[in-house]
Amino acid sequence: MKKSLLIIGLAFAMFSCNNATQSSSEHKTAYVDTAKLLEENDEAKDIESKYKTKSQEMGRELEGEAKQFQNDAATFQRDAQVKGMAWAQQKSAELQKREQQLGMKQQAMLQTLQQESGKEMDSLVKRIKEYIKDYGKKNSYEYIYGTGDAASILYAKEGYDITEKVSKELNEKYKAGGKKEEPKAEEKK
């Protein structure tokens, strides 16, 4: 009796494993290298270029103020001995205050650039995720995994990598005029 229950149990277990293998192999899956996707994305490159240019422009403005400060500091050192200790202390305090203001202005500019570029990149990532979702539905995938900086899988057969296809289609869509969709009213909140 025990042997027959054991045989029936083993048969059931083998049948269950066989069914699980069949159903899991029927799933169409793929993965996208998300780091590579962003690296090769034309819109991401445009955003990066835009903020690099903006940073250089802001840097030139700040550079002029920094040069003026350096000239004033050099003049201070020459004049300090001639004009006396009281004048030197007062002028030194003024120069320190200007130096702090320059540092704060530089930090504010960097922070502004980071916030602005961060918003645009976040918006791009959101659109890419939405695109991958639509791509998966359109191409009958049941699962699309992401790899890259925040990998969500540890192994993937190379044949499942659809990064190139998705990257090509995203860039074609971007070049065709879908460059940037304005966020909907609900998304702005």
Side-chain angles (χ1 to χ4, degrees):
M1 177 88 162
K2 287 184 181 180
K3 285 184 182 181
S4 62
L5 284 175
L6 183 61
I7 292 172
I8 291 173
L10 284 173
F12 180 71
M14 287 176 29
F15 178 73
S16 295
C17 288
N18 195 20
N19 281 344
T21 306
Q22 286 176 349
S23 65
S24 67
S25 66
E26 293 171 7
H27 296 294
K28 185 175 178 183
T29 63
Y31 72 95
V32 174
D33 183 338
T34 53
K36 185 177 178 183
L37 189 64
L38 273 176
E39 185 180 299
E40 294 177 354
N41 185 274
D42 291 336
E43 186 175 358
K45 289 176 186 176
D46 286 349
I47 291 169
E48 187 178 315
S49 175
K50 172 184 171 182
Y51 284 98
K52 184 177 182 181
T53 301
K54 201 170 185 178
S55 173
Q56 290 170 342
E57 290 170 0
M58 292 173 108
R60 279 192 286 275
E61 177 187 321
L62 197 60
E63 194 176 296
E65 290 182 40
K67 281 185 181 181
Q68 182 61 45
F69 173 78
Q70 288 173 344
N71 289 340
D72 290 349
T75 303
F76 163 76
Q77 288 182 347
R78 282 186 304 222
D79 293 347
Q81 293 177 350
V82 175
K83 295 190 177 185
M85 184 65 109
W87 179 87
Q89 286 176 341
Q90 179 186 356
K91 200 66 169 173
S92 175
E94 289 173 17
L95 287 173
Q96 286 177 345
K97 185 177 180 181
R98 277 183 53 201
E99 185 177 30
Q100 286 176 340
Q101 288 172 337
L102 276 173
M104 289 174 15
K105 189 172 184 177
Q106 181 181 24
Q107 280 184 317
M109 284 180 177
L110 287 173
Q111 190 173 22
T112 299
L113 286 173
Q114 287 174 342
Q115 287 174 345
E116 289 176 6
S117 67
K119 280 182 183 177
E120 284 194 48
M121 288 303 289
D122 288 348
S123 178
L124 171 62
V125 168
K126 186 177 180 181
R127 287 192 308 276
I128 288 174
K129 285 180 179 178
E130 210 38 55
Y131 182 84
I132 290 171
K133 184 178 176 182
D134 293 341
Y135 183 92
K137 288 178 183 177
K138 181 176 81 175
N139 292 287
S140 304
Y141 284 99
E142 292 191 36
Y143 300 100
I144 296 179
Y145 302 99
T147 66
D149 294 336
S152 56
I153 58 174
L154 299 175
Y155 170 77
K157 210 174 185 180
E158 278 194 40
Y160 290 143
D161 185 357
I162 59 170
T163 307
E164 295 296 324
K165 292 177 192 173
V166 172
S167 181
K168 182 181 176 195
E169 287 187 21
L170 275 169
N171 286 333
E172 287 172 357
K173 181 180 177 185
Y174 177 66
K175 287 177 182 175
K179 288 197 177 196
K180 187 174 179 186
E181 298 172 14
E182 287 298 318
K184 297 174 187 158
E186 308 91 55
E187 293 176 0
K188 289 183 181 179
K189 291 180 184 176

